[in-house]
Amino acid sequence: MNDRRRIIGTVVSNKMMETVVVRVDRTVRHPLYGKVVHRSVKLVAQDGLNCQPGDRVKLVESRPLSKRKRWVVESILEHGTLMEVPAGGEGAGGAA
């Protein structure tokens, strides 16, 4: 194996061509108060495996592929479903 970093995250969006947005969650302790805090970061990754929203994927570090893309999807660990909320569709409220 090589020295590239590998991280696991959940696909949030696949609306770009050959690109997915992956959310990586981590838990850290607050340096002063000691409370456990949940942090997350969204990474843009090259997708050659046709990932769907909700999939758990393993990312591997790569050379810069574009302005924000620095990761490549190495494998799909498990398939899942992520419920998307329609933007401005039904249930948005307001007058009928």
Side-chain angles (χ1 to χ4, degrees), residues 12 15 53 81-93:
V12 178
K15 296 186 179 189
T81 57
L82 182 68
M83 300 300 293
E84 292 189 20
V85 178
E90 289 120 56

Side-chain angles (χ1 to χ4, degrees), residues 53-91:
D55 290 352
R56 300 263 308 158
V57 294
K58 183 190 287 188
L59 302 179
V60 61
E61 191 176 31
S62 74
R63 65 181 176 84
L65 300 171
S66 69
K67 182 179 177 181
R68 295 178 55 213
K69 208 187 307 186
R70 306 291 192 266
W71 298 87
V72 175
V73 176
E74 186 175 41
S75 63
I76 300 174
L77 302 177
E78 64 183 53
H79 294 284
T81 57
L82 182 68
M83 300 300 293
E84 292 189 20
V85 178
E90 289 120 56

Side-chain angles (χ1 to χ4, degrees), residues 11-86:
V11 176
V12 178
S13 170
N14 66 343
K15 296 186 179 189
M16 296 173 275
M17 292 177 56
E18 297 185 2
T19 305
V20 291
V21 179
V22 179
R23 188 185 72 230
V24 177
D25 297 317
R26 63 189 178 99
T27 55
V28 295
R29 282 208 171 266
H30 191 278
L32 178 62
Y33 300 113
K35 179 176 177 161
V36 175
V37 183
H38 301 283
R39 305 276 180 182
S40 66
V41 62
K42 287 184 182 178
L43 301 173
V44 180
Q46 178 76 19
D47 176 26
L49 303 175
N50 195 18
C51 299
Q52 299 299 320
D55 290 352
R56 300 263 308 158
V57 294
K58 183 190 287 188
L59 302 179
V60 61
E61 191 176 31
S62 74
R63 65 181 176 84
L65 300 171
S66 69
K67 182 179 177 181
R68 295 178 55 213
K69 208 187 307 186
R70 306 291 192 266
W71 298 87
V72 175
V73 176
E74 186 175 41
S75 63
I76 300 174
L77 302 177
E78 64 183 53
H79 294 284
T81 57
L82 182 68
M83 300 300 293
E84 292 189 20
V85 178

